Amino acid sequence: MKKSGIFVHITANVVIILCVVLVAAAGLIDYGVIGTGAGGDKAIYRGNASKPYVTPMINVYWGEEDLPEILEILDRFEVKTTFFVGGSWVAKHPELLKSIAAAGHEIGNHGYLHKDAAKLDLKQNHAEIELCSKQVAALTGKETDLFAPPSGSLSQAMFQSAETLGHRVIMWSKDTIDWRDKDSDLVLKRATNGIQNGDLILMHPTQHTADALPEILKFYRDNGYRVVTVSENIAPDVN
């Protein structure tokens, strides 16, 4: 084989290897293993892998009719988790927010109007986070410090706003997609299959989620996992 042919052959193999690596990395990002968001900033996609903790975190902009049942189930299993609430939803349902807080659950920030962070400038992103946090504080006495971007939308302006306001950006490692697929069996499967230490499992207050929740919590308990809040889950080990 001529030298030029050998060079082309080697170059082609290198390109193929690089493509495989890039595809693999893209897959890891999609599933929340790599925590790098827009602009090289860090979002948190899972908790501490050294502890058997899981968090079925619940994003709330609607579903108030199903929240009481979900709160009852969580109380029955004696677990506390994190609810990321929208500010405009809180303004309409202040008593439900108080019920969530009174039950001992952690309250996170899900923006004020569920806007796409990538379509907002710095000032608008700042307002989305700040207004929600102040709305929560007015009703619970405590401002939020965790921010779950609506629709998982990331941007440099959002990261900068979150940092300025003292919020860590929280994503997820598992998504039940319960807002789309109204099937409790699917919710159960997505919340339990391949469960790992530190998983953050995205949910919403729907009836089929409430239907699946007892089996989900029982699965975690029976398999040695402890349900904790996001803050507990992402806390580093202290030596």
Side-chain angles (χ1 to χ4, degrees), residues 56-59 176 178 187 191 201-205 209 213 216 220:
M57 58 187 197
I58 302 169
N59 287 359
T176 61
D178 52 1
V187 173
I201 302 102
L202 181 59
M203 298 179 177
H204 299 82
T209 300
L213 192 55
I216 292 170
Y220 295 156

Side-chain angles (χ1 to χ4, degrees), residues 54 174 191-197 199 201 219-220 223 225:
V54 294
K174 288 188 178 296
T192 57
N193 277 9
I195 197 74
Q196 297 179 38
N197 289 359
D199 268 332
I201 302 102
F219 179 92
Y220 295 156
N223 286 274
Y225 290 96

Side-chain angles (χ1 to χ4, degrees), residues 10 25 28 39 42 47 52 80-81 83 91-92 109 118 133 136 138 159 179 184-186 195 202 220 229 234-235 237:
I10 293 173
L28 290 174
K42 296 282 185 174
K80 309 299 180 188
T81 190
F83 289 78
K92 296 176 183 176
N109 188 319
S133 187
V136 170
F159 279 113
W179 58 270
S184 59
D185 289 336
L186 271 179
I195 197 74
L202 181 59
Y220 295 156
T229 65
I234 66 178
D237 290 325

